[in-house]
Amino acid sequence: MSDSPVVQKIYKPWGECLATFFVFLMVGPPIGGIVFALTMALLPSVSGVPFGDGSDTAGQISVGIFIGLFAIPFSYMVGGLQAAAMGLAHAVYGWFRGRQPFWFAAVMAAVVFAGSLISGMADASELFFPMLFVHVIPAFLCWLIARSFWRRYQP
């Protein structure tokens, strides 16, 4: 009769971490592209800048159509790296601490937005609030999606 020690199985959340990373990577940029297209369409002072006083309605409509058609494909080129960084940060937090709280999503969105301001990807003069929305809204929505498949209490 052998006395074997009880082996405690340690839970490793591989699935949750990978899913979190890919949710941010695949869902974040299109949401950001849609938010960008909507803010450019809803803010004529921003979307009408190239057209002088804003009286060129046909030009504004063509810019709106162009942004609407290409916002999602371009969103992966513009925001893919930022989304990957957000997904990686959320996955690492989840690996060590479990389910991500709202404050973590807000802090990470602020860090990524500050990084885009420093790098020059976001224009701080005219496009500050649209770019803020482009970063915060996808971060919040991806956080909601990713949070749904993390367990409340990790063993």
Side-chain angles (χ1 to χ4, degrees), residues 14-30:
W14 288 103
E16 290 92 340
C17 287
L18 288 173
T20 298
F21 177 76
F22 283 113
V23 161
F24 277 89
L25 183 63
M26 301 307 290
V27 177

Side-chain angles (χ1 to χ4, degrees), residues 84-96:
M86 287 281 288
L88 183 64
H90 279 267
V92 168
Y93 183 94
W95 181 271
F96 291 108

Side-chain angles (χ1 to χ4, degrees), residues 39 43 113 123-135:
T39 56
L43 299 173
F113 177 62
D123 185 13
S125 60
E126 296 176 3
L127 299 176
F128 182 81
F129 286 110
M131 286 295 123
L132 180 66
F133 296 149
V134 164
H135 289 86

Side-chain angles (χ1 to χ4, degrees), residues 62-87:
S62 65
V63 167
I65 291 171
F66 178 79
I67 289 173
L69 286 175
F70 295 110
I72 292 178
F74 285 151
S75 68
Y76 286 105
M77 290 184 278
V78 174
L81 188 60
Q82 298 169 1
M86 287 281 288

Side-chain angles (χ1 to χ4, degrees), residues 4-152:
S4 63
V6 176
V7 177
Q8 181 180 4
K9 186 175 182 180
I10 298 174
Y11 178 72
K12 301 287 185 186
W14 288 103
E16 290 92 340
C17 287
L18 288 173
T20 298
F21 177 76
F22 283 113
V23 161
F24 277 89
L25 183 63
M26 301 307 290
V27 177
I31 293 173
I34 291 168
V35 170
F36 178 74
L38 288 175
T39 56
M40 296 306 269
L42 295 176
L43 299 173
S45 64
V46 175
S47 63
V49 167
F51 304 108
D53 61 356
S55 62
D56 184 15
T57 308
Q60 289 179 350
I61 291 172
S62 65
V63 167
I65 291 171
F66 178 79
I67 289 173
L69 286 175
F70 295 110
I72 292 178
F74 285 151
S75 68
Y76 286 105
M77 290 184 278
V78 174
L81 188 60
Q82 298 169 1
M86 287 281 288
L88 183 64
H90 279 267
V92 168
Y93 183 94
W95 181 271
F96 291 108
R97 305 281 303 203
R99 195 176 208 184
Q100 301 89 355
F102 175 72
W103 66 264
F104 186 74
V107 167
M108 287 307 302
V111 166
V112 170
F113 177 62
S116 68
L117 285 176
I118 292 169
S119 70
M121 288 184 72
D123 185 13
S125 60
E126 296 176 3
L127 299 176
F128 182 81
F129 286 110
M131 286 295 123
L132 180 66
F133 296 149
V134 164
H135 289 86
V136 170
I137 292 172
F140 177 69
L141 293 177
C142 288
W143 168 76
L144 282 176
I145 294 168
R147 187 179 170 163
S148 67
F149 48 78
W150 280 91
R151 291 193 245 172
R152 185 171 296 276

